[in-house]
Amino acid sequence: MKYPIVAYGDPVLRRKATAIEPDEYPHIKQLVEDMFETMYAAHGVGLAAPQVGLSMRLFVIDATPFDKDEPELKDFKKVFINAVIEEETGEEWAFNEGCLSIPDIREDVYRKSTVRISYYDENWKHHDETFSGLAARVIQHEYDHIEGKLFTDKLSPLRKRLIEKRLSDISKGIVDVEYRMKFPAAKKGR
Ligand code: NI
């Protein structure tokens, strides 16, 4: 089942998401499968639960489309439950980021190059791993979502001002997008 993707402006994207208790979510694998289906249909490389309206500490990643730049990302498909970033190290570098909740806007964002993260996978197996390069980048972007942050928060005041109107249009549904979305400020009938 595909979910509609929540657009910029929805309060769920600003909430710090809640940790998941295994007993509370016996159907977590179905949810994970639906999130991958939603993400692939929108041609994304990552999707966090708040983006489908669920304030849960869960995100999924498939960075395979980046394998031309970094061959080790072939089949880099992972599920992160109750993730905690333990450490971010290395030089900050710029990458042109986009977000399925903010269609048609891409901006250079600076982040550190390496991330150590602990998390559970969909089988509730615990991991503590270190990632660099584009893998780290996608993880950092998705992790921000479960903390209630968006990549636009990291832009300079000038860049923020330049995209202000487009962000407000997105929240109203005034944007061309090929996947189903839920717009918080849309007028009825749109
Ligand atoms: Ni995003």
Side-chain angles (χ1 to χ4, degrees):
M1 183 200 87
K2 286 198 287 284
Y3 285 91
I5 294 177
V6 167
Y8 183 91
D10 193 303
V12 73
L13 295 176
R14 290 309 191 178
R15 224 170 278 151
K16 194 177 155 93
T18 314
I20 304 170
E21 298 294 335
D23 311 343
E24 271 177 345
Y25 292 95
H27 305 299
I28 193 87
K29 282 193 178 170
Q30 184 60 51
L31 173 58
V32 163
E33 204 178 292
D34 290 344
M35 283 179 60
F36 273 118
E37 193 185 334
T38 304
M39 182 187 88
Y40 290 135
H43 303 290
V45 292
L47 185 71
Q51 294 182 277
V52 297
L54 301 168
S55 193
M56 297 161 58
R57 296 186 77 82
L58 161 66
F59 56 90
V60 301
I61 284 175
D62 188 341
T64 306
F66 289 135
D67 71 351
K68 283 168 216 76
D69 303 310
E70 293 186 14
E72 66 274 21
L73 290 179
K74 190 173 160 23
D75 304 321
F76 189 89
K77 182 177 175 180
K78 284 182 186 295
V79 177
F80 294 79
I81 298 172
N82 296 347
V84 176
I85 286 191
E86 305 289 350
E87 202 179 15
E88 285 182 290
T89 53
E91 292 279 301
E92 291 206 343
W93 64 292
F95 182 72
N96 201 244
E97 293 189 24
C99 180
L100 294 179
S101 293
I102 314 176
D104 272 358
I105 294 185
R106 299 196 71 92
E107 291 285 339
D108 278 353
V109 176
Y110 284 84
R111 300 183 193 267
K112 287 186 175 167
S113 60
T114 302
V115 63
R116 200 188 119 212
I117 188 166
S118 63
Y119 64 97
Y120 293 86
D121 64 23
E122 69 277 27
N123 299 309
W124 291 101
K125 186 171 179 288
H126 192 253
H127 301 263
D128 186 333
E129 293 169 338
T130 300
F131 300 96
S132 310
L134 287 171
R137 176 61 62 146
V138 181
I139 288 168
Q140 288 161 319
H141 176 111
E142 297 312 323
Y143 185 83
D144 271 359
H145 276 299
I146 62 169
E147 290 288 301
K149 297 178 196 158
L150 299 170
F151 81 86
T152 48
D153 302 345
K154 297 181 118 49
L155 304 177
S156 69
L158 173 66
R159 291 304 311 168
K160 274 185 194 156
R161 200 134 32 90
L162 287 171
I163 63 169
E164 203 173 22
K165 169 76 165 67
R166 286 164 69 203
L167 288 175
S168 140
D169 281 351
I170 288 170
S171 68
K172 292 176 193 146
I174 307 170
V175 62
D176 270 334
V177 61
E178 284 171 10
Y179 45 90
R180 196 153 65 95
M181 293 193 80
K182 185 175 160 263
F183 300 103
K187 299 231 163 59
K188 280 231 168 71
R190 191 179 271 281

